[in-house]
Amino acid sequence: MQQKQDNVIEVNNLKEYFPIKSGLFGRVVGQVKAVDGVSFAIQRGKTFGLVGESGCGKTTVGKTILRLYEKTDGEVLFRGQDIFELSHQELRKIRPHLQIIFQDPYSSLSPRMPVGEIIGEAVREHNIVPPEEHDEYISKIMLACGLQPYYKDRYPHEFSGGQRQRICIARALALNPEFIVCDEPVSALDVSIQAQIINLLSDLQKEFGISYLFISHDLSVVEHISDTVGVMYLGVIVEYGSTKEIFSNPLHPYTQALFSAIPVPDPTVKLNRIILEGSIPSPANPPAGCKFHTRCQYVMPICRTVVPKEIDKDGHLVLCHLYDEEVMKEKVWTGNK
Amino acid sequence: MSDNIEKVKPEEVESNFLTAKESRAISKENRRITDAIEKQRNRRNVAESEYTTQMKNPENVVEFDDLKTYFYTDIGVVKAVDGVSFNVPMGKTVGVVGESGCGKSVTSLSLMQLVQRPQGQIVGGEIRLNLGDKVYDVAKVPSAEMEKIRGNVVSMIFQEPMTSLNPVFQIGKQINEVIVLHNPGVSNEETKRRTIEILDTVGIADAEGIYTRYPHELSGGMRQRVMIAMALVTNPRLIIADEPTTALDVTIQAQILDLLRTLKDKINASIMLITHDLGVIAEMADYVVVMYSGRIIERGTAQEIFLSPSHPYTVGLMASKPAVNRDVDRLYSIPGTVPNPINMPNHCYFKDRCPRAFDRCEGEYPGEYFISPTHSAACYLYEDMDNAAKTR
């Protein structure tokens, strides 16, 4: 990924391993490779969608980018600055620009704080507006997120799921962020409410030029909202490209299987479904070679031993031996032998 | 952004406020009603003739007829299911769709007599269950008799496989329990053989190994397979699948749906599939029932519902779900939220959110109007069409 001026976030070869400890003294006996070399960039005002099954490391990527976890390796550049090199004070200054919306609006709001306080706490802390304009500012933000300002004195339990998610969005938006990690923001909501929240997120993006990292397992939502998409499997992005390109022409066998598994709301469509056997292997003990080879329908001997290289097809990156011309040539050759 | 802002006035919201005195009065009244129903239920030696009935159509496994399940809460009566009627034909799949809180789960729990008593009560209507040689009205069957039916003739697959399996018992033991309970006198060897056989049927590769495992050792997809095995081991006539794949990933969802489809044909059971995912319904169901705020607003065959949705709510629901390879600039969103289930007004519940509401909608709750012999909607838009069909 070339250095570009308008990239808000750039992630280069990010790794995040969690130690597995056991025994009396907490000896480290292994590592869970939650994120194992992930690279992508997000442009200003654009959305990058990250899809994959549960346990593939999507959420860890989101949290590590915000330095909620300390990285194992790699770098995360925000406006060209590595956020892992910042001191505590510098990080504090940058924090308002990097925000997150969590999946579950029921557990991510403090039940003992009124809504105005939830949204306004960080605003006051970071001196976003002068104290005398504070109240007015909160009302403005709440209106932008479709909440009535008189809700300010209510507590989260008085709201429905969709409204709580609006509160979470307002809380993130109040700090004038440039970049928001949306970690499954609509998964816990009903379909009709989902549409409201998705529309709200895209409206806010248009109005304020915010960039999103949109993490979801719902492919149809990701397709709708994203400009570029990365498909993750066991800690690596196996396919990366523009949304249009990935959805119209999926290359990686995993992406193909994932897309074919989406139920289509039309009973006349006969599905040509690729059903994957088994489930995602444990990231504590990932398969050697290509991580997907245990479930892949096109598996070749080389997949079991050699990690595939990143193949670039006009900006559409795929991590698979099938598209590596050298490997395919060799395979034909060994096949003849 | 204007359509996103819910226009709720403060006064409207405050109208739900109750004083302690009012709340006490409601509780007292509720207790009087539920005590009377409980007393009726808890009689000993109820004659079988009291709860046997006749099917309208013997081809159906279950007929819900004007079912009413209410919850008597301290802030008022919640009509969770309010006059729901539909049939589940033999060997077919009926999909029940709706948003959370629309009463789809309560409908299925009523059939299993698993509604939380004494607050939750079936206060009206019939649920006719076809047992082959006789027909029971589940709403009146005494608890002791119901234990023989539940899990045997009708079984259920729940949403969360982890919370539905007991974490301290081995998988095999939990399935054995079902067999022993419904087949008294069966030998231990025979029980184990049948358990392993059913684990094999649901596509668990190492059935003997899984037999001695505990639920936490299995993945989500495997646990759901175990749940399905447990539901199928008694050869039920009807399987209720309550959001069976909501907690699973798409790839695992595809496996489980595929499994359910093949197994249904194998044992010739009917499935009542409850979900909010329209895609899953389209793939699985023969008939679809759309629920909103405790009532059926539209029903028909899957083809009719998906190709020509009629009720504005169904139309909105379809349009608000983004679909892969269907490019829209902006998602349609149904304005507003589901109404408060307490003290529902006597007009169409969807009126305030409906883009096609007209003056007729101010009248009382619309009846069921037929668009075709199998397709009906509870909406005044189709009143003329229904009348025309009747006079013809």
Side-chain angles (χ1 to χ4, degrees), chain A residues 53-54 150 190 192 199 276, chain B residues 8 99-100 249 251 255 331:
Chain A
E53 290 176 86
S54 48
Y150 63 79
D190 272 317
S192 72
N199 285 342
L276 289 180
Chain B
V8 190
E99 292 180 88
S100 43
D249 281 312
T251 55
Q255 292 175 4
L331 286 178

Side-chain angles (χ1 to χ4, degrees), chain A residues 53-54 144 148 150 154 163 190 192 195-196 199 203 207 218 220 223-224 263-268 273 276 278, chain B residues 1 5-6 8 14 99-100 249 251 253 255 279 282-283 303 306 321-325 328 330-332 334 336:
Chain A
E53 290 176 86
S54 48
Q148 299 297 329
Y150 63 79
R154 300 213 179 149
Q163 281 179 318
D190 272 317
S192 72
Q196 293 177 4
N199 285 342
D203 288 341
E207 206 172 324
D218 191 332
S220 47
E223 192 211 10
H224 178 80
V264 184
D266 184 349
T268 50
R273 187 161 278 176
L276 289 180
Chain B
M1 218 183 305
I5 298 172
E6 291 146 31
V8 190
E14 301 308 336
E99 292 180 88
S100 43
D249 281 312
T251 55
Q253 169 171 295
Q255 292 175 4
E283 199 174 301
Q303 299 264 349
F306 283 95
K321 178 83 189 147
V324 171
N325 295 332
V328 281
R330 196 184 162 77
L331 286 178
Y332 174 77
I334 305 174

Side-chain angles (χ1 to χ4, degrees), chain A residues 74-87:
Chain A
E75 56 177 10
V76 177
L77 304 178
F78 173 66
R79 300 171 176 161
Q81 213 175 4
D82 190 343
I83 64 157
F84 286 101
E85 314 235 298
L86 299 175
S87 69

Side-chain angles (χ1 to χ4, degrees), chain B residues 175-200:
Chain B
I175 301 180
N176 284 352
E177 191 188 353
V178 181
I179 301 174
V180 172
L181 206 61
H182 292 293
N183 304 284
V186 70
S187 73
N188 287 353
E189 294 77 36
E190 170 69 9
T191 310
K192 183 170 179 183
R193 193 190 59 74
R194 279 169 65 176
T195 300
I196 289 176
E197 190 184 281
I198 196 80
L199 283 173
D200 212 39

Side-chain angles (χ1 to χ4, degrees), chain A residues 14 25 33-34 47 60 71 75 94 147 199 233 251-252 292 299 325-326:
Chain A
L14 184 70
F25 301 108
K33 298 183 175 176
T47 305
T60 313
K71 65 168 183 186
E75 56 177 10
I94 232 174
L147 293 161
N199 285 342
Y233 187 78
L251 295 177
H252 198 280
F292 185 59
V299 62
E325 278 162 25
E326 282 171 42

